[in-house]
Amino acid sequence: MYDVLIRNGTIIDGTGGPPYAADVAVADGKIAAIGRCPCPARLVIDAAGKAVTPGFIDIHRHADAEVFREGFGTLELRQGLTTIVNGNCGLSAAPIDGPCRQAVLDYLAPITGPVKDCVPTGSLEAYLRAADHRPLHTGMLAGAGTIRAAAAGYACQALDQGQIRTIQRELERALAEGALGVSLGLGYAPECFYTTEELIAVLSVLRGTDLPVTVHMREEGDGVCEALAEMLTVARRLRVPVHISHLKAMGRRNWGGKIPRAVAMLDRARADGLDVTCDVYPYTAGSTQLIHILPPDFLTGGTRAITERLRDPARRRELAERIQSGRDFDNIAGMVGWENILCSTLGRPENRPFQGMSVADIARAQGKDPFTCACDLLVSEECAVTMIDFITDEADIARILRLPYSAVISDSTYPTAGKRHPRVYGAFPRILEKYVRQEGILTLPEAVASMTAIPADALRLRGKGRLAVGMDADINIFDPAAVREAGTYADPHRCAEGMDWVLVGGEAAIAAGVLTGARAGRSIRRQRSAASD
Ligand SMILES: [Zn+2]
């Protein structure tokens, strides 16, 4: 007797191979059989005319705090997600300890939303224990930025041996407690202060292991290829898998030129035997803190120190000059223009009317120049401003999506106020709707692979990402012609449509289009070998 039998469906197994007709049987949370399954089952699902795929995997979310909020899981399950990974871009909500704890939490807030006391931040072990039994599976990366900030604050400094040892010990502890790998945020403070040699020294605890390092690179605009070269050096020197997060080329002058070069570098490194992979989100706009329009060296000392500096007229003049002419950092305002930077979350009542408007439009309304307007907003909000910035090119996105080693991600951030980026609700259905059905950039099996087996392989998620006997029974059933993203930039807070059934660990989390409230999601810990699976 099986627990579930899915009959008459079309299997798209996650490998990218051709679809085929078969039944899928589930027992004890695993896939028990694929083919003709004559045994009876407690639940029989007729999937005639539907695709049957592995559950989708988003290895790049910032749901570190969201996992513990009321209602978590709805918008994720509605787009077919059965597994997410948090702690990205160096910004994990655990482990955070020591005197800098509050500074780290303030820094995370525009990305993760407020990290309340119900989120266990002291250790990966405590975090993962608490993240168990949620509507979907949750894994975590050890955020090396969080760990550096907790050990050495946000100062721009060369680290001493003692500080390097402390960071290494914390990384080792987080990995021993189940982190899936280490995430870096080299575009963010305080990790932007690393030299390449320091970075290699800190990461040397991973040397020769199979532990992936995921990286938000130092630059993603004019300097993206140099930033990639740095990470290929890290991969070569330490012999570790390196996964490039949200690969992109920001700024019109970089479109069409930088990504083909970056792809050639990745292809060559892979041909040389390096384990390098990447991912991409399917939108031309990103979203992060507004402070990232500032040069990295301006970001020392945490959000309070940045606010103080922005109040200082002399520092502002200096800053204005650098943003006007600067090519020595990821100068987002310079590369994309103030009209392409929207302030998506503004907390103070006097700023609320401007929420969702571009800096250029807010400046016009306030009778200021855009630079002064942006600085004033940052000061009045003490840096807690989230932006949505239109930075990349559709043709570049398509180039990256087509790579056989590129995963789809959302890079969802979870501010609790204001307008979220529509990718939080719809990144995965958007792949099926826009890039498969409307534009034909990917075939359906390629698209499914980029949302299942490819991300699972990048982070070594054993048992996930493929429909095969013995794999975890995380399964989606849907009409590939009907799945759609419902949110937009103007009206983002809408769940995607079209997932008929979503099984998490063999239990129906969505049954015939209805959320069941099941909490079969487990926290995923790194496993050392297949035997311990
Ligand atoms: Zn990032």
Side-chain angles (χ1 to χ4, degrees):
M1 182 84 154
Y2 295 125
D3 295 324
V4 184
L5 181 58
I6 303 163
R7 300 191 56 219
N8 309 319
T10 300
I11 310 294
I12 301 171
D13 68 4
T15 65
Y20 61 97
D23 300 339
V24 178
V26 171
D28 298 325
K30 304 275 182 196
I31 295 174
I34 299 180
R36 290 289 305 145
C37 304
C39 289
R42 267 178 278 276
L43 170 67
V44 177
I45 301 169
D46 181 14
K50 306 277 166 75
V52 181
T53 75
F56 300 156
I57 299 171
D58 188 356
I59 57 171
H60 197 113
R61 285 183 104 80
H62 294 279
D64 301 47
E66 181 75 7
V67 167
F68 300 96
R69 290 191 195 116
E70 184 73 27
F72 168 70
T74 297
L75 68 90
E76 292 81 4
L77 291 166
R78 283 288 181 203
Q79 52 186 315
L81 289 172
T82 56
T83 298
I84 61 167
V85 177
N86 294 324
N88 281 283
C89 303
L91 302 170
S92 60
I96 312 173
D97 237 339
C100 295
R101 183 168 184 276
Q102 194 53 50
V104 177
L105 296 180
D106 289 347
Y107 195 79
L108 291 180
I111 299 274
T112 60
V115 182
K116 298 257 172 68
D117 289 344
C118 62
V119 184
T121 56
S123 71
L124 246 288
E125 168 56 35
Y127 182 92
L128 289 172
R129 202 173 337 113
D132 213 14
H133 300 292
R134 302 279 152 178
L136 55 152
H137 308 301
T138 303
M140 186 75 156
L141 294 160
T146 288
I147 289 173
R148 173 175 166 146
Y154 287 95
C156 176
Q157 58 179 356
L159 299 180
D160 63 37
Q161 277 310 310
Q163 288 167 321
I164 289 179
R165 271 310 299 155
T166 304
I167 296 169
Q168 289 176 327
R169 254 198 320 273
E170 281 300 313
L171 286 175
E172 284 175 315
R173 183 164 72 105
L175 291 164
E177 291 176 355
L180 297 167
V182 172
S183 80
L184 301 174
L186 298 179
Y188 294 149
E191 290 183 284
C192 57
F193 307 132
Y194 276 127
T195 64
T196 306
E197 287 308 315
E198 275 181 325
L199 183 63
I200 290 173
V202 165
L203 295 177
S204 65
V205 291
L206 305 179
R207 189 186 298 279
T209 67
D210 193 42
L211 291 164
V213 173
T214 73
V215 58
H216 174 141
M217 294 193 293
R218 209 178 280 277
E219 290 195 35
E220 299 186 317
D222 299 344
V224 64
C225 292
E226 291 72 18
L228 177 58
E230 175 184 43
M231 290 316 299
L232 295 178
T233 301
V234 171
R236 199 168 282 121
R237 293 262 297 275
L238 295 176
R239 285 173 290 113
V240 290
V242 168
H243 181 83
I244 309 298
S245 295
H246 43 60
L247 180 61
K248 63 170 90 70
M250 292 195 294
R252 188 175 294 274
R253 64 182 176 240
N254 297 314
W255 295 353
K258 299 282 201 249
I259 290 303
R261 246 182 83 200
V263 167
M265 290 166 72
L266 286 168
D267 286 343
R268 211 173 315 122
R270 289 170 59 85
D272 286 349
L274 294 188
D275 185 344
V276 288
T277 50
C278 67
D279 60 44
V280 61
Y281 52 76
Y283 297 84
T284 56
S287 180
T288 185
Q289 297 121 305
L290 183 62
I291 51 170
H292 291 295
I293 61 169
L294 306 173
D297 49 88
F298 202 87
L299 302 181
T300 58
T303 49
R304 281 186 204 152
I306 300 168
T307 306
E308 278 317 303
R309 231 167 278 140
L310 285 169
R311 285 187 213 276
D312 177 349
R315 297 303 301 270
R316 264 206 202 189
R317 272 195 300 278
E318 195 182 296
L319 193 58
E321 246 166 64
R322 285 193 71 188
I323 288 184
Q324 234 145 53
S325 61
R327 284 205 175 213
D328 60 326
F329 69 103
D330 251 353
N331 183 359
I332 295 176
M335 286 188 292
V336 309
W338 295 108
E339 67 280 10
N340 286 310
I341 298 175
L342 315 187
C343 296
S344 50
T345 303
L346 292 165
R348 300 193 59 84
E350 66 270 27
N351 295 330
R352 280 282 166 76
F354 304 117
Q355 192 163 266
M357 288 168 63
S358 73
V359 175
D361 286 341
I362 302 172
R364 217 165 290 131
Q366 296 181 335
K368 295 176 181 171
D369 69 275
F371 169 78
T372 304
C373 167
C375 291
D376 288 351
L377 286 172
L378 285 170
V379 169
S380 86
E381 300 282 350
E382 292 181 341
C383 294
V385 183
T386 311
M387 66 172 167
I388 292 178
D389 45 340
F390 290 83
I391 47 183
T392 62
D393 176 36
E394 278 291 354
D396 282 344
I397 292 172
R399 272 186 194 101
I400 305 169
L401 277 176
R402 284 200 200 94
L403 298 174
Y405 51 85
S406 177
V408 169
I409 57 156
S410 70
D411 197 6
S412 290
T413 54
Y414 286 85
T416 48
K419 283 189 178 171
R420 289 175 173 174
H421 191 300
R423 64 191 178 182
V424 179
Y425 296 81
F428 290 76
R430 180 180 176 89
I431 291 291
L432 302 174
E433 182 182 11
K434 175 176 161 74
Y435 295 92
V436 176
R437 294 208 302 270
Q438 293 171 356
E439 299 180 4
I441 286 163
L442 300 174
T443 66
L444 183 56
E446 284 168 349
V448 170
S450 70
M451 300 189 282
T452 56
I454 293 171
D457 290 352
L459 290 194
R460 280 68 176 151
L461 303 175
R462 290 214 179 84
K464 306 229 172 277
R466 287 177 178 77
L467 291 185
V469 172
M471 300 296 276
D472 296 345
D474 302 331
I475 301 172
N476 291 340
I477 303 171
F478 58 90
D479 175 356
V483 171
R484 61 179 286 269
E485 177 183 31
T488 60
Y489 288 105
D491 184 14
H493 303 271
R494 290 178 181 278
C495 284
E497 293 163 12
M499 281 294 148
D500 296 313
W501 290 81
V502 175
L503 305 189
V504 176
E507 262 190 61
I510 293 180
V514 179
L515 285 158
T516 66
R519 293 165 75 91
R522 307 306 305 265
S523 52
I524 304 172
R525 291 175 169 78
R526 179 177 72 92
Q527 283 151 347
R528 283 152 212 268
S529 69
S532 64
D533 239 336

